[in-house]
Amino acid sequence: MTGLVIACTATFGEEADRVLVEGVAPHALTLPAVRAATNLAPAAQNAAVLDAEVVLGQPSPEDLLVAPRLRWVHLNSAGYTRYDVPEVRAALAARGVALTTSSGVYDDPCAEHALALLLAASRRLPECVELQLGGKAWPSKAVRGRSALLRGRRVLLLGFGAIGRRLSELLGPFGVDLAIFRAHPRGDEPGRVVGPEALGEAFAWAEMVVSTLPENEATRGLVSRALLDRMQADAWFVNVGRGTTVDQGALVDALAARRLGGAYLDVTDPEPLPPDHPLWTAPDCWITPHTAGGHRGEMVALVQHFLANLRRFERGEPLVDRVV
Protein backbone atom coordinates (compact mmCIF):
# COMPACT_ATOMS: atom_id res chain seq x y z
CA MET A 1 0.00 0.00 0.00
CA THR A 2 1.58 3.27 -1.10
CA GLY A 3 0.56 6.87 -1.56
CA LEU A 4 -1.47 7.41 1.59
CA VAL A 5 -2.14 10.99 2.67
CA ILE A 6 -1.26 11.24 6.38
CA ALA A 7 -2.01 14.31 8.49
CA CYS A 8 -0.35 14.83 11.86
CA THR A 9 -2.10 17.29 14.18
CA ALA A 10 0.38 16.88 17.05
CA THR A 11 3.98 17.93 17.56
CA PHE A 12 6.36 15.55 19.29
CA GLY A 13 9.62 17.48 19.42
CA GLU A 14 12.56 17.61 17.05
CA GLU A 15 13.86 14.05 17.43
CA ALA A 16 10.47 12.35 17.33
CA ASP A 17 9.28 14.54 14.43
CA ARG A 18 12.37 13.45 12.49
CA VAL A 19 11.57 9.78 13.18
CA LEU A 20 8.01 10.39 11.99
CA VAL A 21 9.03 12.13 8.76
CA GLU A 22 11.49 9.37 7.91
CA GLY A 23 9.19 6.56 8.98
CA VAL A 24 6.08 7.43 6.97
CA ALA A 25 7.88 7.29 3.62
CA PRO A 26 6.81 6.72 0.88
CA HIS A 27 3.48 8.18 1.99
CA ALA A 28 2.65 11.89 1.88
CA LEU A 29 2.83 13.57 5.30
CA THR A 30 1.02 16.83 6.02
CA LEU A 31 2.28 18.83 8.97
CA PRO A 32 -0.07 21.80 9.60
CA ALA A 33 1.45 25.09 10.71
CA VAL A 34 -0.33 24.78 14.05
CA ARG A 35 -0.05 21.45 15.86
CA ALA A 36 -1.00 20.56 19.43
CA ALA A 37 1.91 20.16 21.84
CA THR A 38 -0.12 18.11 24.35
CA ASN A 39 -2.83 15.52 23.96
CA LEU A 40 -4.72 17.15 26.84
CA ALA A 41 -5.41 20.33 24.85
CA PRO A 42 -8.86 20.82 23.28
CA ALA A 43 -9.02 19.32 19.81
CA ALA A 44 -9.09 22.17 17.30
CA GLN A 45 -10.49 21.81 13.80
CA ASN A 46 -7.81 21.51 11.14
CA ALA A 47 -8.22 21.68 7.38
CA ALA A 48 -5.48 19.08 6.87
CA VAL A 49 -7.72 16.41 8.38
CA LEU A 50 -10.34 16.93 5.69
CA ASP A 51 -7.93 15.79 2.96
CA ALA A 52 -6.32 12.94 4.88
CA GLU A 53 -6.76 9.19 4.74
CA VAL A 54 -4.82 8.66 7.97
CA VAL A 55 -4.66 11.08 10.92
CA LEU A 56 -2.19 11.01 13.83
CA GLY A 57 -2.78 13.17 16.89
CA GLN A 58 -5.93 14.54 18.52
CA PRO A 59 -8.15 15.64 15.64
CA SER A 60 -11.40 17.45 16.21
CA PRO A 61 -14.33 15.01 16.38
CA GLU A 62 -16.24 17.43 14.14
CA ASP A 63 -13.58 17.01 11.44
CA LEU A 64 -13.78 13.23 11.70
CA LEU A 65 -17.51 13.32 11.02
CA VAL A 66 -17.07 15.02 7.65
CA ALA A 67 -13.58 14.02 6.39
CA PRO A 68 -14.49 12.25 3.13
CA ARG A 69 -11.33 10.17 2.58
CA LEU A 70 -10.67 9.11 6.15
CA ARG A 71 -9.72 5.47 6.76
CA TRP A 72 -7.85 5.40 10.06
CA VAL A 73 -7.30 7.68 13.08
CA HIS A 74 -4.46 7.01 15.53
CA LEU A 75 -4.56 8.96 18.79
CA ASN A 76 -1.35 9.95 20.59
CA SER A 77 -3.00 9.19 23.94
CA ALA A 78 -4.26 6.20 25.86
CA GLY A 79 -7.56 7.93 26.58
CA TYR A 80 -10.15 8.66 23.94
CA THR A 81 -12.96 10.32 25.90
CA ARG A 82 -13.82 12.99 23.34
CA TYR A 83 -14.27 10.30 20.66
CA ASP A 84 -16.10 7.81 22.88
CA VAL A 85 -19.55 9.22 22.13
CA PRO A 86 -22.34 7.54 20.15
CA GLU A 87 -22.29 10.05 17.28
CA VAL A 88 -18.57 9.68 16.57
CA ARG A 89 -18.49 5.92 17.14
CA ALA A 90 -21.44 5.36 14.85
CA ALA A 91 -20.06 7.60 12.12
CA LEU A 92 -16.65 5.92 12.13
CA ALA A 93 -18.11 2.42 12.25
CA ALA A 94 -20.56 3.13 9.43
CA ARG A 95 -17.72 4.25 7.15
CA GLY A 96 -15.30 1.53 8.25
CA VAL A 97 -12.87 4.03 9.79
CA ALA A 98 -10.54 2.51 12.38
CA LEU A 99 -9.74 4.36 15.63
CA THR A 100 -6.66 3.30 17.58
CA THR A 101 -4.97 4.67 20.70
CA SER A 102 -1.46 4.73 22.15
CA SER A 103 -2.30 2.59 25.19
CA GLY A 104 0.68 0.39 24.49
CA VAL A 105 3.00 3.33 25.09
CA TYR A 106 1.58 4.22 28.49
CA ASP A 107 0.94 0.88 30.19
CA ASP A 108 4.47 0.41 31.56
CA PRO A 109 5.12 3.95 32.87
CA CYS A 110 1.66 4.34 34.40
CA ALA A 111 1.82 0.91 36.03
CA GLU A 112 5.32 1.55 37.40
CA HIS A 113 4.19 4.95 38.71
CA ALA A 114 1.24 3.35 40.50
CA LEU A 115 3.48 0.66 41.96
CA ALA A 116 5.89 3.32 43.19
CA LEU A 117 3.04 5.12 44.94
CA LEU A 118 1.84 1.92 46.62
CA LEU A 119 5.35 1.22 47.86
CA ALA A 120 5.80 4.81 49.02
CA ALA A 121 2.57 4.60 51.01
CA SER A 122 3.54 1.28 52.59
CA ARG A 123 7.03 2.43 53.50
CA ARG A 124 5.90 5.86 54.80
CA LEU A 125 8.10 7.77 52.35
CA PRO A 126 5.98 10.96 52.37
CA GLU A 127 6.27 11.11 56.15
CA CYS A 128 10.05 10.83 55.90
CA VAL A 129 10.22 13.55 53.26
CA GLU A 130 8.25 15.86 55.55
CA LEU A 131 10.71 15.14 58.35
CA GLN A 132 13.65 16.10 56.15
CA LEU A 133 12.00 19.28 54.90
CA GLY A 134 10.78 20.23 58.36
CA GLY A 135 12.44 19.96 61.77
CA LYS A 136 14.94 17.20 60.85
CA ALA A 137 13.58 14.98 63.64
CA TRP A 138 14.54 11.29 63.89
CA PRO A 139 11.43 9.35 65.08
CA SER A 140 12.76 6.02 63.89
CA LYS A 141 10.73 3.82 66.21
CA ALA A 142 7.42 5.56 65.44
CA VAL A 143 7.92 5.48 61.64
CA ARG A 144 9.02 1.85 61.71
CA GLY A 145 5.90 1.02 63.67
CA ARG A 146 3.68 2.67 61.09
CA SER A 147 5.46 1.11 58.10
CA ALA A 148 3.92 -1.86 56.33
CA LEU A 149 4.75 -4.41 53.66
CA LEU A 150 3.07 -4.33 50.28
CA ARG A 151 3.34 -8.10 50.23
CA GLY A 152 0.03 -9.79 51.02
CA ARG A 153 -2.04 -6.59 51.20
CA ARG A 154 -5.58 -6.36 49.86
CA VAL A 155 -5.57 -4.31 46.65
CA LEU A 156 -8.65 -3.29 44.68
CA LEU A 157 -7.88 -2.40 41.09
CA LEU A 158 -10.45 -0.21 39.37
CA GLY A 159 -10.29 -0.92 35.64
CA PHE A 160 -8.45 -3.60 33.70
CA GLY A 161 -7.28 -2.02 30.47
CA ALA A 162 -3.66 -1.99 29.35
CA ILE A 163 -2.47 -0.10 32.44
CA GLY A 164 -4.46 -2.18 34.90
CA ARG A 165 -3.28 -5.41 33.34
CA ARG A 166 0.37 -4.34 33.48
CA LEU A 167 0.01 -3.21 37.10
CA SER A 168 -1.46 -6.59 38.03
CA GLU A 169 1.66 -8.22 36.53
CA LEU A 170 3.98 -5.94 38.51
CA LEU A 171 2.06 -6.72 41.70
CA GLY A 172 2.38 -10.47 41.12
CA PRO A 173 5.73 -10.94 42.93
CA PHE A 174 4.34 -9.13 45.98
CA GLY A 175 1.64 -11.74 46.48
CA VAL A 176 -1.09 -9.18 47.02
CA ASP A 177 -4.69 -10.28 47.44
CA LEU A 178 -6.05 -8.75 44.25
CA ALA A 179 -9.63 -7.81 43.41
CA ILE A 180 -10.48 -6.27 40.04
CA PHE A 181 -13.44 -4.06 39.25
CA ARG A 182 -14.49 -4.64 35.67
CA ALA A 183 -17.92 -3.84 34.28
CA HIS A 184 -17.70 -6.66 31.73
CA PRO A 185 -15.55 -9.57 32.98
CA ARG A 186 -13.82 -11.64 30.29
CA GLY A 187 -12.47 -14.49 32.37
CA ASP A 188 -8.81 -13.51 31.91
CA GLU A 189 -8.48 -11.51 35.12
CA PRO A 190 -5.70 -12.63 37.54
CA GLY A 191 -7.82 -12.05 40.60
CA ARG A 192 -11.33 -11.93 42.00
CA VAL A 193 -13.64 -9.93 39.75
CA VAL A 194 -15.95 -7.37 41.33
CA GLY A 195 -19.04 -6.08 39.55
CA PRO A 196 -20.84 -2.78 40.15
CA GLU A 197 -23.23 -4.37 42.62
CA ALA A 198 -20.35 -5.45 44.91
CA LEU A 199 -18.20 -2.34 44.66
CA GLY A 200 -19.17 -1.02 48.11
CA GLU A 201 -18.08 -4.25 49.79
CA ALA A 202 -14.86 -4.20 47.78
CA PHE A 203 -14.01 -0.67 48.95
CA ALA A 204 -14.60 -1.75 52.55
CA TRP A 205 -12.38 -4.82 52.05
CA ALA A 206 -9.44 -3.11 50.36
CA GLU A 207 -6.37 -1.73 52.07
CA MET A 208 -5.39 0.01 48.84
CA VAL A 209 -7.64 1.14 46.00
CA VAL A 210 -5.95 1.95 42.68
CA SER A 211 -7.94 3.56 39.87
CA THR A 212 -6.79 3.28 36.27
CA LEU A 213 -10.27 4.13 34.98
CA PRO A 214 -10.71 6.16 31.80
CA GLU A 215 -13.29 8.91 31.62
CA ASN A 216 -16.60 8.04 30.01
CA GLU A 217 -20.29 8.24 30.77
CA ALA A 218 -20.15 5.19 33.03
CA THR A 219 -17.09 6.22 35.06
CA ARG A 220 -17.62 9.94 35.73
CA GLY A 221 -17.98 10.31 39.49
CA LEU A 222 -17.87 6.55 39.98
CA VAL A 223 -15.66 6.89 43.07
CA SER A 224 -18.44 8.52 45.04
CA ARG A 225 -18.81 9.80 48.58
CA ALA A 226 -20.66 6.61 49.48
CA LEU A 227 -17.77 4.44 48.28
CA LEU A 228 -15.08 6.59 49.92
CA ASP A 229 -17.03 6.42 53.18
CA ARG A 230 -16.74 2.62 53.05
CA MET A 231 -12.95 2.67 53.01
CA GLN A 232 -10.91 1.72 56.05
CA ALA A 233 -9.37 4.50 58.13
CA ASP A 234 -5.83 3.40 57.21
CA ALA A 235 -6.55 2.60 53.55
CA TRP A 236 -4.96 4.49 50.65
CA PHE A 237 -6.56 5.71 47.43
CA VAL A 238 -4.39 6.02 44.30
CA ASN A 239 -5.57 7.51 41.01
CA VAL A 240 -3.59 7.27 37.77
CA GLY A 241 -6.70 7.20 35.57
CA ARG A 242 -8.77 10.37 35.27
CA GLY A 243 -9.67 12.96 37.90
CA THR A 244 -13.28 13.18 36.72
CA THR A 245 -13.94 9.64 37.93
CA VAL A 246 -13.69 10.79 41.57
CA ASP A 247 -15.91 12.96 43.77
CA GLN A 248 -13.03 15.24 44.78
CA GLY A 249 -15.07 17.12 47.36
CA ALA A 250 -15.83 13.86 49.11
CA LEU A 251 -12.16 12.87 48.94
CA VAL A 252 -11.09 16.17 50.52
CA ASP A 253 -13.65 15.67 53.29
CA ALA A 254 -12.48 12.11 53.98
CA LEU A 255 -8.84 13.19 54.17
CA ALA A 256 -9.61 16.22 56.34
CA ALA A 257 -11.54 14.02 58.78
CA ARG A 258 -8.67 11.48 58.82
CA ARG A 259 -11.05 8.79 57.57
CA LEU A 260 -8.42 7.68 55.06
CA GLY A 261 -4.80 6.74 55.43
CA GLY A 262 -4.03 8.99 52.48
CA ALA A 263 -4.29 9.56 48.75
CA TYR A 264 -1.89 9.71 45.83
CA LEU A 265 -3.29 11.55 42.82
CA ASP A 266 -1.61 11.83 39.44
CA VAL A 267 -4.81 13.19 37.90
CA THR A 268 -7.29 15.80 39.08
CA ASP A 269 -10.25 17.79 37.86
CA PRO A 270 -9.45 20.37 36.61
CA GLU A 271 -5.91 20.17 35.31
CA PRO A 272 -3.72 22.00 36.07
CA LEU A 273 -5.02 22.00 39.63
CA PRO A 274 -5.44 25.63 40.82
CA PRO A 275 -2.97 26.67 43.54
CA ASP A 276 -5.79 27.37 46.00
CA HIS A 277 -7.53 24.02 45.50
CA PRO A 278 -8.06 22.20 48.85
CA LEU A 279 -6.48 18.99 47.53
CA TRP A 280 -3.06 20.68 47.72
CA THR A 281 -3.32 21.05 51.48
CA ALA A 282 -5.51 18.08 52.38
CA PRO A 283 -3.83 15.88 55.02
CA ASP A 284 -1.83 12.97 53.58
CA CYS A 285 -2.69 13.90 50.00
CA TRP A 286 0.23 13.70 47.58
CA ILE A 287 -0.02 14.94 44.02
CA THR A 288 2.07 14.30 40.92
CA PRO A 289 1.20 16.62 37.99
CA HIS A 290 -0.14 14.05 35.49
CA THR A 291 3.31 12.56 35.03
CA ALA A 292 2.51 8.85 35.43
CA GLY A 293 2.62 8.21 31.69
CA GLY A 294 5.81 10.14 31.10
CA HIS A 295 9.36 8.98 30.54
CA ARG A 296 12.40 10.27 28.70
CA GLY A 297 11.63 8.42 25.48
CA GLU A 298 7.89 9.08 25.51
CA MET A 299 7.64 11.14 22.32
CA VAL A 300 9.77 8.81 20.21
CA ALA A 301 7.86 5.83 21.61
CA LEU A 302 4.57 7.44 20.54
CA VAL A 303 5.82 7.89 17.00
CA GLN A 304 7.27 4.39 16.84
CA HIS A 305 3.97 2.96 18.07
CA PHE A 306 2.17 4.74 15.25
CA LEU A 307 4.72 3.62 12.66
CA ALA A 308 4.41 -0.01 13.77
CA ASN A 309 0.65 0.26 13.35
CA LEU A 310 1.17 1.95 9.97
CA ARG A 311 3.10 -1.10 8.78
CA ARG A 312 0.18 -3.28 9.89
CA PHE A 313 -2.26 -0.99 8.09
CA GLU A 314 -0.20 -1.26 4.91
CA ARG A 315 -0.31 -5.07 5.09
CA GLY A 316 -4.00 -5.24 5.97
CA GLU A 317 -3.23 -6.75 9.41
CA PRO A 318 -5.21 -6.11 12.62
CA LEU A 319 -4.25 -2.83 14.26
CA VAL A 320 -2.93 -2.67 17.83
CA ASP A 321 -4.94 -0.77 20.48
CA ARG A 322 -8.01 -0.54 18.25
CA VAL A 323 -11.16 0.77 19.95
CA VAL A 324 -13.43 1.30 16.89
Side-chain angles (χ1 to χ4, degrees), residues 225-250:
R225 183 178 297 273
L227 288 177
L228 291 169
D229 284 348
R230 296 291 299 272
M231 293 183 70
Q232 301 173 31
D234 60 350
W236 280 75
F237 176 74
V238 175
N239 191 3
V240 295
R242 286 292 182 265
T244 52
T245 63
V246 181
D247 182 338
Q248 290 187 158

Side-chain angles (χ1 to χ4, degrees), residues 78 103 106-107 110-111 157 160-168 212 240:
S103 291
Y106 292 109
D107 52 358
C110 284
L157 184 55
F160 200 63
I163 297 168
R165 182 178 296 277
R166 182 61 182 137
L167 178 57
S168 73
T212 67
V240 295

Side-chain angles (χ1 to χ4, degrees), residues 57-148:
Q58 295 285 314
S60 164
E62 289 78 11
D63 283 344
L64 301 188
L65 295 176
V66 298
R69 304 175 62 196
L70 194 61
R71 299 170 60 187
W72 169 37
V73 179
H74 185 87
L75 305 177
N76 62 324
S77 62
Y80 56 102
T81 301
R82 59 173 64 105
Y83 311 95
D84 191 19
V85 295
E87 182 183 16
V88 175
R89 276 186 166 274
L92 296 180
R95 294 156 53 199
V97 178
L99 177 66
T100 57
T101 74
S102 294
S103 291
V105 176
Y106 292 109
D107 52 358
D108 267 321
C110 284
E112 288 189 14
H113 197 91
L115 177 62
L117 301 182
L118 293 176
L119 287 167
S122 297
R123 304 308 304 162
R124 310 300 297 180
L125 299 191
E127 185 174 345
C128 295
V129 170
E130 285 189 319
L131 290 171
Q132 182 172 352
L133 296 177
K136 309 298 189 296
W138 196 264
S140 176
K141 183 176 181 180
V143 174
R144 287 170 69 103
R146 288 191 289 271
S147 298

Side-chain angles (χ1 to χ4, degrees), residues 156-161 179-189 192-199 212-214 216-219 222:
L156 171 60
L157 184 55
L158 305 180
F160 200 63
I180 299 168
F181 168 71
R182 201 176 196 183
H184 305 288
R186 301 179 185 174
D188 60 347
E189 299 84 2
R192 176 170 61 92
V193 179
V194 174
E197 71 288 345
L199 200 50
T212 67
L213 292 171
N216 55 46
E217 187 174 337
T219 62
L222 179 76

